[in-house]
Amino acid sequence: MTAYDRRRRVTIADVAGHAQVSTTAVSKVLRNAYGVSPAMREKVQAAIDELGYRPHAAARAMRGRTFTVGVLLPHIRNPFFADVLDGLMDQLAGTGYQAIIVQGGGADPEAERRAVEALTDRQVDGMLMIAPLASKADLEETARTTALVVLGRHDRSAVYDSVFDDDETGAELVVGHLLALGHRRIAHISQKDGSRVRPAELLHTIRARTYRRVMEEHGLADEVAVATTSYTEEGGYLGARELLARPSRPTALFAGADLAAFGALAAIHEAGLAVPGDISLAGYDNTRTAALAHISLTSVDQDGATMGGTAGRLLLERIGGRTSAVRFSVTPTLVPRRSTGPSPDGETRGGAAAG
Amino acid sequence: MTAYDRRRRVTIADVAGHAQVSTTAVSKVLRNAYGVSPAMREKVQAAIDELGYRPHAAARAMRGRTFTVGVLLPHIRNPFFADVLDGLMDQLAGTGYQAIIVQGGGADPEAERRAVEALTDRQVDGMLMIAPLASKADLEETARTTALVVLGRHDRSAVYDSVFDDDETGAELVVGHLLALGHRRIAHISQKDGSRVRPAELLHTIRARTYRRVMEEHGLADEVAVATTSYTEEGGYLGARELLARPSRPTALFAGADLAAFGALAAIHEAGLAVPGDISLAGYDNTRTAALAHISLTSVDQDGATMGGTAGRLLLERIGGRTSAVRFSVTPTLVPRRSTGPSPDGETRGGAAAG
C-alpha cells in the first residue's frame, strides 16, 4: 500500500491528523460552517498550508462546498419556469454559485427520482425543486443531506423551505371573473400526475379543488366539468377537445396553466368557435405569450421572478447554516385580457364574483 | 497515516495493487473502455470483488464514467431548445445517462465559460453545447478532456462533432418567400454577441449574411436594414421599433428567431399596423407558438427534435470511444402561414424566389 502513498493526494484525513483534530472539524473549516472557533480555523488552516492540501472540485464535492445549486423542474418548455430561473440567476449572480438544471420529465415520479439522484451524485450544496411529485417523506430525506427549497407546493415541513403562490386565491380570481361575466358552464383543464403526494399539497389539485368549490358555492355543482390531462400544449388541446364535445358545451374554459390554454386555443379554433364570442378562455402564469396582442389571454400573475429570487435567497441562507424552516407565499393577481368576455348566454351577474 | 487505513474506502489504487495491474487498467475496465482484454477484465473484476471496491459517484467521477452528460444552452426561454432537449432525452432514455443543463446566459462569453466550468467540475462524460459563444480553440480545449458535440454552429473541427441546420438555405427560403410576395423593403432582426468566434460559424451571422446576400442579388442593396438586438422577445420588440421608425418603413420583417418575431409582433401592434396587411412577418425555428391559429407565424422548421436526438447519439458514440469527427446538417423547410402576405406596395414578382 505504501507504494501508493507518495502518489496519493493529501487528503482531508491527512490534514486532520496533522492538525490533531477530527475530519469533521476540517470539513467544517473548509465549508466555512457555523460554530467554528477562530482557534480551530487557524490550526486547520496551518495544517492545510503545511501539507499543501488543495481540494480540487471532486474532492471538495466529497467534503465541502461545490458552489453549485441544483434545480429540478418538470420540463423546460413551460415559460413560467424561465421566469423563476431568471429570478434565481439574478439572486445567484456575484455569489460564485452556479445552477445546474435537471428535467423531472412530467408525470413520472420514477424519472423524477433519477433526475434528483443525478443532482445528488453531482453533490450540489443545495436544491431548488419546482413542483416535484415526490412524497413529503422523500423530500425530507433529501433535505437531511442537502439544503432544500421546494417551489410550487404547499407542504409544511420542518426541514425544508417552501415558496408558493396562493393557488386558492388565484383560482378564485379566475372563476369569480368568469362568473361575473355571466358564465355558468365553466369547465376546467387540470393535470394528471403519478405522484404519491397528499393531493392537497400540489398546485394543480388546489386549483382544481378551488374551481369545484367556487362552482358549488354558486349553485353550479351540476355544471362542474374537469378534463384531467396535463399543463402542456398537448394537454390543453386534448382537454379542450374533450370539454367542447360535451352535449352541454361550456361557454368558458379555465386552463390551469397558460401553456394548456394555448393548446385549448388551437382546439377552439379547430372547432370553428370564436374567443371570446363563443367561448371565454383563461389561463394561469401570465406568461409573455399570454400578453401578446394576438393572443391576449386572461391569466393569473404569480410573479415567477420574485418566487425564483426568493427561493435563491432562502437556498443560500440554508447553505449558510439556517436550519429553521420558512414558508413564503406570493399573492397572485388577475390580469384580465380580451380572451374573456360576457357569456353568450347573456345572463351577466355583475356582483357574482367569488367570495 | 495507518490510523486512517481502516476507515479509508477501498480505492482504485488498492484494486490495482491487489490485481497487480496499473490503475489505468482498472480505470479502463471500470469505464468499459475500448481495448481491454477479457483476461484483464476478469483479473480486475476478481480484485474488485475480493476487496469489496464500490466506486461511489464522486469516486467514479474522478476515475471513470459518471453517466451524466452536460448540456449548455443560452437560455431555457427559447422553446426551440425544448425541442432539442426532447430529442436528446428520447435518445438517452434507457441508457442510464442523465442530462444536467446549465444556462450560458446569452451574450456574455464570460458567463458561458463559468457555466461550462460548472459542467467540467461535475465531471460529465460528455457535453452538448447549443450555440456556444466560445472560440473554436476553447471548444477544442474542452473536447480534449470531454466528449463534445456542438449544436448550431458550422465549425469544422477534428476533435468534436457538429450538428447544425443549413442556416443559409433557411434564410434564403424566408427572403425568397418575401420577395415572391412582392416585398422590396425587407428588414432583418439579428443578434448581437460578445463572442470571439469567427463570425462565419455562428448561426445568427449566417442568417444575417444570407439575408444581405439575397437582397443584393435582387438589386436591393439599398433596402438592406438590419437591427442587431437579440433572439429574444425583448430583442424582437426593440429591433422592430427601430426598423418601423425608419423614414422608409419596411413592408416585411424577417426575424432570425420566432422568439424575436413574437416581440416584433407586439411592436407592430403598438404601432397600429396590421399583419400581414401593412407588414409581413416571418420567424425562424417553427416553435409551437408560431403554429397557434391566432399567431400563425411563417417560420423555418429545422426539426429541433432530430437535431437533439442526433446530437445525443453522436455524444454516446464519442463517449463509447469514437474519435473521428462527424458533421450532421439538417436541411430546413419553410412553413408559410398567415403572417406573410402580398406587399402593400402591390408589385408581386411571382418568380423571384431566391436561387
Side-chain angles (χ1 to χ4, degrees):
Chain A
M1 208 68 67
T2 46
Y4 297 105
D5 274 0
R6 237 188 313 259
R7 255 181 282 162
R8 258 183 62 218
R9 289 182 75 94
V10 177
T11 67
I12 198 167
D14 301 330
V15 173
H18 196 83
Q20 297 191 288
V21 301
S22 69
T23 52
T24 310
V26 177
S27 169
K28 275 189 175 175
V29 170
L30 286 174
R31 67 171 194 269
N32 211 7
Y34 274 27
V36 177
S37 71
M40 172 66 82
R41 193 176 303 280
E42 203 174 316
K43 190 151 60 172
V44 170
Q45 192 56 54
I48 286 172
D49 294 345
E50 280 172 49
L51 297 181
Y53 175 66
R54 291 277 306 144
H56 63 127
R60 269 192 286 137
M62 279 194 221
R63 309 291 183 180
R65 291 199 189 176
T66 58
F67 287 94
T68 312
V69 297
V71 179
L72 166 81
L73 44 77
H75 199 289
I76 72 160
R77 197 179 292 282
N78 190 329
F80 173 66
F81 302 147
D83 293 342
V84 171
L85 270 188
D86 279 350
L88 175 72
M89 294 305 179
D90 280 353
Q91 189 67 39
L92 296 184
T95 64
Y97 270 86
Q98 284 285 337
I100 60 177
I101 305 159
V102 295
Q103 287 196 152
D108 177 6
E110 192 48 37
E112 178 183 296
R113 195 189 54 72
R114 286 194 301 271
V116 171
E117 263 177 17
L119 289 181
T120 311
D121 279 1
R122 300 284 79 70
Q123 286 153 320
V124 294
D125 295 338
M127 280 190 213
L128 169 60
M129 295 195 191
I130 302 177
L133 299 172
S135 70
K136 187 175 156 189
D138 284 349
L139 294 177
E140 296 198 325
E141 176 79 29
T142 301
R144 265 187 278 280
T145 55
T146 309
L148 177 64
V149 176
V150 173
L151 190 146
R153 269 170 61 166
H154 295 231
D155 311 70
R156 282 179 197 280
S157 166
V159 291
Y160 58 82
D161 300 335
S162 298
V163 174
F164 54 92
D165 156 65
D166 181 347
D167 295 289
E168 199 162 336
T169 297
E172 278 174 0
L173 286 169
V174 175
V175 184
H177 170 70
L178 295 170
L179 287 168
L181 287 166
H183 295 277
R184 294 172 57 84
R185 294 196 306 284
I186 302 168
H188 180 57
I189 299 173
S190 186
Q191 170 156 281
K192 200 176 349 223
D193 63 73
S195 79
R196 293 153 297 183
V197 190
R198 283 221 335 273
E201 293 163 349
L202 291 172
L203 60 93
H204 55 270
T205 48
I206 294 173
R207 292 176 195 170
R209 195 187 56 212
T210 304
Y211 152 78
R212 199 178 288 269
R213 175 176 62 69
V214 177
M215 291 292 278
E216 285 166 3
E217 283 169 7
H218 286 79
L220 299 171
D222 290 350
E223 305 292 353
V224 165
V226 180
T228 304
T229 54
S230 70
Y231 280 1
T232 62
E233 278 143 330
E234 295 80 357
Y237 176 78
L238 294 172
R241 293 231 314 185
E242 179 188 328
L243 293 165
L244 295 177
R246 298 204 169 202
S248 166
R249 199 182 73 208
T251 63
L253 285 184
F254 165 29
D258 280 4
L259 215 53
F262 303 144
L265 209 49
I268 292 168
H269 188 260
E270 243 181 51
L273 299 171
V275 174
D278 298 315
I279 188 160
S280 284
L281 177 67
Y284 205 110
D285 289 341
N286 195 27
T287 55
R288 295 183 190 189
T289 307
L292 288 178
H294 295 72
I295 297 284
S296 194
L297 177 74
T298 294
S299 191
V300 176
D301 192 322
Q302 52 177 321
D303 197 347
T306 294
M307 290 174 82
T310 302
R313 182 172 55 75
L314 296 179
L315 201 48
L316 292 177
E317 287 174 10
R318 276 210 169 262
I319 293 169
R322 174 169 59 74
T323 53
S324 58
V326 170
R327 281 160 58 86
F328 179 91
S329 168
V330 170
T331 303
T333 52
L334 185 76
V335 184
R337 293 199 183 92
R338 291 196 309 278
S339 72
T340 49
S343 163
D345 293 352
E347 33 173 14
T348 307
R349 317 187 303 167
Chain B
M1 209 69 66
T2 46
Y4 297 106
D5 274 3
R6 238 186 313 259
R7 257 181 280 161
R8 259 184 61 219
R9 290 182 74 95
V10 176
T11 67
I12 199 168
D14 301 331
V15 173
H18 196 84
Q20 297 190 292
V21 301
S22 69
T23 52
T24 310
V26 177
S27 168
K28 275 191 174 174
V29 170
L30 287 173
R31 68 170 193 268
N32 213 8
Y34 275 29
V36 177
S37 72
M40 173 65 82
R41 195 176 302 281
E42 205 174 313
K43 191 151 58 170
V44 170
Q45 192 56 53
I48 285 171
D49 294 345
E50 280 171 49
L51 297 181
Y53 175 67
R54 292 275 305 141
H56 64 127
R60 270 191 286 134
M62 279 196 225
R63 310 292 185 181
R65 291 199 190 179
T66 58
F67 287 95
T68 311
V69 296
V71 179
L72 168 80
L73 44 78
H75 199 291
I76 71 162
R77 197 179 293 281
N78 191 329
F80 173 66
F81 301 146
D83 293 344
V84 171
L85 271 187
D86 279 351
L88 175 72
M89 295 303 180
D90 280 355
Q91 189 68 35
L92 295 184
T95 63
Y97 270 87
Q98 284 285 337
I100 61 177
I101 305 159
V102 294
Q103 287 195 151
D108 177 7
E110 190 49 34
E112 178 183 295
R113 195 190 53 73
R114 287 194 301 270
V116 171
E117 262 176 18
L119 291 181
T120 310
D121 278 1
R122 302 283 80 70
Q123 285 151 323
V124 294
D125 295 339
M127 282 190 211
L128 169 60
M129 294 195 192
I130 302 177
L133 299 173
S135 69
K136 188 175 157 191
D138 284 349
L139 295 177
E140 296 198 325
E141 174 79 29
T142 300
R144 265 188 278 280
T145 55
T146 310
L148 177 64
V149 176
V150 173
L151 190 145
R153 270 171 58 167
H154 295 231
D155 311 69
R156 284 178 196 280
S157 167
V159 290
Y160 58 82
D161 299 337
S162 299
V163 174
F164 54 92
D165 156 64
D166 182 346
D167 295 289
E168 198 160 339
T169 297
E172 278 173 0
L173 287 169
V174 175
V175 184
H177 170 69
L178 295 170
L179 287 168
L181 287 165
H183 295 277
R184 294 172 57 84
R185 294 197 306 284
I186 303 167
H188 180 56
I189 299 173
S190 187
Q191 170 156 282
K192 201 176 349 222
D193 63 73
S195 79
R196 292 153 298 184
V197 191
R198 280 221 338 271
E201 293 163 349
L202 291 171
L203 60 92
H204 55 270
T205 47
I206 295 172
R207 292 176 194 169
R209 195 187 56 212
T210 304
Y211 151 77
R212 199 178 287 271
R213 174 177 61 71
V214 177
M215 290 290 279
E216 286 166 3
E217 283 170 8
H218 286 78
L220 298 171
D222 290 348
E223 305 292 353
V224 165
V226 179
T228 304
T229 55
S230 70
Y231 281 2
T232 63
E233 278 144 329
E234 294 80 358
Y237 175 78
L238 294 172
R241 293 232 314 186
E242 179 188 328
L243 294 166
L244 294 177
R246 297 204 169 203
S248 165
R249 201 182 70 208
T251 62
L253 285 185
F254 163 31
D258 280 5
L259 214 52
F262 302 146
L265 209 50
I268 292 168
H269 189 261
E270 244 182 49
L273 299 171
V275 173
D278 297 314
I279 189 160
S280 284
L281 178 67
Y284 205 110
D285 289 342
N286 195 26
T287 55
R288 296 183 190 187
T289 306
L292 288 177
H294 295 71
I295 297 283
S296 193
L297 178 74
T298 294
S299 192
V300 175
D301 193 321
Q302 52 176 322
D303 197 347
T306 293
M307 289 175 82
T310 303
R313 182 172 56 74
L314 297 180
L315 201 49
L316 292 176
E317 287 174 12
R318 276 210 169 262
I319 292 169
R322 174 169 58 75
T323 53
S324 58
V326 170
R327 280 159 59 85
F328 179 90
S329 169
V330 171
T331 303
T333 52
L334 185 76
V335 184
R337 294 199 182 92
R338 291 196 309 279
S339 71
T340 48
S343 163
D345 293 351
E347 35 175 12
T348 306
R349 318 189 303 168

